[in-house]
């Protein structure tokens, strides 16, 4: 099968993330500075377009404006939102996105704990914590042709005194994306990225599932980021806006003739078996992937129809024996605190037991997906499915 190749000039970056119970494999492919998928334009405070691009949600239909109760009261949470229209993102259509408290929208299908790594629409990704202020809310509005998500009066968890931030992202059914900023109390470049990444822009990636022959019931997912749009942070101030227009991609073609004869930035080719054109292929990655340091997301998926290996069974039995022995030793020490074994452990205990925590500066903090249950904040009640 021939898929379209669009990688052109790429520089390879490896990304390794630890500090969580899940292990992820991220492979970052940084594009050149030219936007191959989007063109962007920034409007300053004095430009009338900045005001025109800001959506005043207060004037919208109240029945369609939703204040998400849980996101408005928690930190590092994300909730799925169903779109009423097909939203083209990097040429492929989305009908569901994930809104995060940290000032960004996650666009991937696989909701993992490190949503800040790839596949995002980020008007201002930072360590925002709506729970620290009663005035902080996360609002969204869908009018059938566009979705507006607004982070309203949110504060940075690690620097509350900087003041509140108010900004929004608008996703249009044409693929057009608008970032609008009403209240930015400090230069974005000065926001600390120690506990949370600070990003402004877009990212897209694809996921490859690998079968693990040694462990039949487990599969590994590798996430390849193939493109990223990084906007200039110094231009993000009060009353500014950024407009991003999608460029043509191979995915828009519905026939072989139009695909082959296309005159766009990509070298498109047609797959007759799937009856479609595509925007990227894995083949250009083959010479590079064996050089990349990577680790994987292990998922317990549907069991494959293979018998368990003898070695795996023995390993499980060995782990169970060790756990049983540990429990018996603990019970014995608890009931015999003056025994030689108890005194031996007490004398050699560490002064401070290590705690399970996420590594500072890891760049990919953990996000948890919230349950579709409403909460109350400042007189607003949101109880619908998000």
């Amino acid at each position: 099968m021939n898929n379209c190749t669009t990688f052109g000039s790429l520089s390879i970056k490896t990304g390794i993330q630890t500090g969580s119970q899940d292990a992820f494999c991220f492979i970052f492919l940084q594009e050149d500075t030219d936007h191959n998928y989007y063109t962007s334009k920034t409007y300053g405070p004095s430009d009338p377009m900045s005001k025109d691009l800001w959506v005043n949600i207060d004037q919208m239909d109240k029945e369609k404006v939703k204040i998400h109760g849980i996101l408005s009261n928690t930190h590092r949470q994300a909730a799925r939102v169903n779109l009423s229209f097909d939203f083209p993102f990097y040429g492929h259509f989305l009908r569901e996105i994930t809104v995060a408290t940290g000032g960004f929208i996650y666009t991937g299908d696989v909701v993992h704990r490190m949503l800040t790594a790839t596949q995002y629409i980020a008007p201002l990704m930072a360590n925002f914590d709506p729970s620290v202020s009663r005035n902080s809310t996360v609002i969204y509005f869908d009018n059938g042709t566009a979705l507006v998500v607004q982070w309203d009066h949110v504060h940075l968890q690690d620097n509350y005194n900087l003041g509140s931030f108010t900004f929004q992202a608008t996703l249009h059914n044409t693929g057009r994306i608008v970032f609008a900023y009403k209240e930015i109390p400090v230069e974005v470049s000065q926001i600390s990225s120690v506990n949370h990444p600070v990003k402004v822009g877009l990212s897209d990636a694809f996921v490859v599932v690998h079968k693990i022959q040694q462990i039949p019931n487990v599969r590994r997912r590798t996430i390849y980021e193939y493109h990223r749009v990084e906007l200039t942070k110094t231009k993000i101030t009060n009353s500014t806006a950024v407009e991003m227009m999608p460029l043509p991609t191979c995915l828009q073609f519905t026939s072989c003739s139009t695909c082959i004869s296309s005159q766009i930035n990509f070298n498109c080719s047609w797959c007759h078996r799937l009856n479609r054109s595509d925007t990227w292929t894995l083949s250009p990655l083959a010479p590079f992937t064996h050089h990349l340091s990577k680790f994987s997301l292990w998922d317990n998926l549907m069991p494959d129809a293979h018998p368990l290996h003898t070695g795996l069974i023995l390993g499980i039995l060995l782990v169970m024996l060790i756990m049983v022995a540990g429990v018996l030793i603990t019970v014995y020490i608890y009931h015999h605190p003056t025994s030689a074994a108890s005194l031996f452990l007490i004398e050699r205990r560490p002064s401070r037991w290590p705690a399970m925590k996420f590594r500072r500066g890891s760049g990919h903090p953990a996000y948890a997906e919230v349950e579709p249950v409403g909460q109350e904040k400042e007189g607003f009640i949101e109880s619908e499915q998000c």
Side-chain angles (χ1 to χ4, degrees):
M1 176 179 112
N2 289 324
N3 285 342
C4 305
T5 57
T6 64
F7 289 94
S9 174
L10 293 173
S11 59
I12 307 299
K13 293 172 60 181
T14 60
I16 297 179
Q17 169 61 36
T18 58
S20 66
Q21 294 179 354
D22 296 326
F24 295 85
C25 171
F26 291 105
I27 297 182
F28 299 91
L29 301 177
Q30 186 63 51
E31 264 287 358
D32 51 19
T33 55
D34 297 330
H35 297 343
N36 288 335
Y37 291 87
Y38 289 87
T39 59
S40 61
K41 185 175 182 180
T42 303
Y43 301 94
S46 60
D47 196 314
M49 280 296 294
S50 296
K51 295 182 179 179
D52 294 339
L53 293 175
W54 176 264
V55 179
N56 190 346
I57 294 185
D58 294 336
Q59 298 179 355
M60 300 297 105
D61 185 353
K62 298 299 182 181
E63 295 182 357
K64 296 182 179 180
V65 176
K66 294 178 171 50
I67 299 178
H68 197 287
I70 297 180
L71 294 184
S72 300
N73 288 276
T74 51
H75 178 231
R76 290 185 184 174
Q77 298 286 328
R80 301 194 188 199
V81 174
N82 295 321
L83 302 177
S84 63
F85 55 90
D86 291 326
F87 170 64
F89 184 63
Y90 278 90
H92 56 88
F93 291 97
L94 302 178
R95 259 305 176 100
E96 183 181 76
I97 50 94
T98 302
V99 177
T101 55
F104 68 97
I105 297 170
Y106 175 71
T107 61
D109 294 328
V110 181
V111 179
H112 49 74
R113 301 183 65 196
M114 294 179 290
L115 303 186
T116 61
T118 62
Q119 298 174 280
Y120 56 76
I121 299 173
L124 182 51
M125 180 190 295
N127 193 22
F128 294 114
D129 184 359
S131 68
V132 299
S133 172
R134 292 186 177 182
N135 296 325
S136 301
T137 52
V138 178
I139 311 169
Y140 62 94
F141 167 77
D142 188 338
N143 67 355
T145 61
L147 171 75
V148 182
V149 181
Q150 180 169 315
W151 291 263
D152 193 74
H153 293 96
V154 293
H155 293 258
L156 295 168
Q157 190 199 52
D158 40 15
N159 205 335
Y160 177 87
N161 294 329
L162 287 181
S164 65
F165 295 71
T166 299
F167 55 93
Q168 59 185 209
T170 303
L171 315 182
H172 295 267
N173 61 354
T174 59
R176 175 169 160 257
I177 301 174
V178 175
F179 296 162
Y181 306 89
K182 183 178 182 180
E183 185 181 16
I184 306 295
V186 66
E187 291 185 11
V188 175
S189 57
Q190 296 181 1
I191 299 176
S192 174
S193 59
V194 174
N195 297 317
H196 195 289
V198 179
K199 301 178 183 179
V200 180
L202 310 176
S203 167
D204 199 25
F206 56 91
V207 180
V208 179
V209 179
H210 308 273
K211 291 185 178 181
I212 308 301
Q213 296 181 355
Q214 295 83 354
I215 311 177
N217 293 338
V218 178
R219 297 177 185 178
R220 182 184 67 193
R221 286 176 176 169
T222 304
I223 301 176
Y224 294 87
E225 182 189 58
Y226 64 90
H227 190 266
R228 180 182 299 186
V229 176
E230 295 182 347
L231 301 177
T232 305
K233 297 177 183 177
T234 55
K235 295 182 179 180
I236 306 304
T237 61
N238 290 336
S239 302
T240 58
V242 180
E243 185 178 29
M244 284 165 284
M245 300 296 295
L247 295 173
T249 66
C250 300
L251 293 175
Q252 73 185 54
F253 302 114
T254 58
S255 67
C256 181
S257 59
T258 56
C259 172
I260 300 300
S261 61
S262 63
Q263 299 293 326
I264 61 177
N265 291 334
F266 302 124
N267 180 22
C268 300
S269 59
W270 185 261
C271 176
H272 291 281
R273 176 173 296 181
L274 296 179
N275 195 31
R276 56 171 282 185
S277 179
D278 215 334
T279 309
W280 38 258
T281 179
L282 288 179
S283 56
L285 296 174
F288 305 110
T289 52
H290 68 281
H291 294 297
L292 300 179
S293 300
K294 60 183 181 179
F295 51 95
S296 308
L297 162 62
W298 300 89
D299 291 326
N300 291 322
L301 302 178
M302 293 300 294
D304 295 334
H306 298 287
L308 290 175
H309 295 293
T310 304
L312 178 61
I313 296 176
L314 294 177
I316 294 176
L317 292 176
L318 180 60
V319 172
M320 294 179 62
L321 289 175
I322 294 175
M323 293 176 61
V324 172
V327 171
L328 294 177
I329 293 174
T330 303
V331 173
Y332 176 82
I333 293 176
Y334 179 81
H335 291 284
H336 301 81
T338 59
S339 64
S342 299
L343 295 175
F344 177 85
L345 293 176
I346 291 174
E347 290 175 356
R348 288 160 178 79
R349 73 183 187 276
S351 58
R352 182 167 60 91
W353 293 100
M356 292 290 292
K357 63 179 181 180
F358 300 106
R359 294 177 56 187
R360 294 175 61 86
S362 64
H364 304 297
Y367 271 79
E369 187 178 6
V370 302
E371 297 293 333
V373 180
Q375 288 188 4
E376 184 177 353
K377 185 165 188 177
E378 288 298 299
F380 296 97
I381 299 178
E382 173 57 45
S383 59
E384 297 186 14
Q385 170 72 37
C386 299

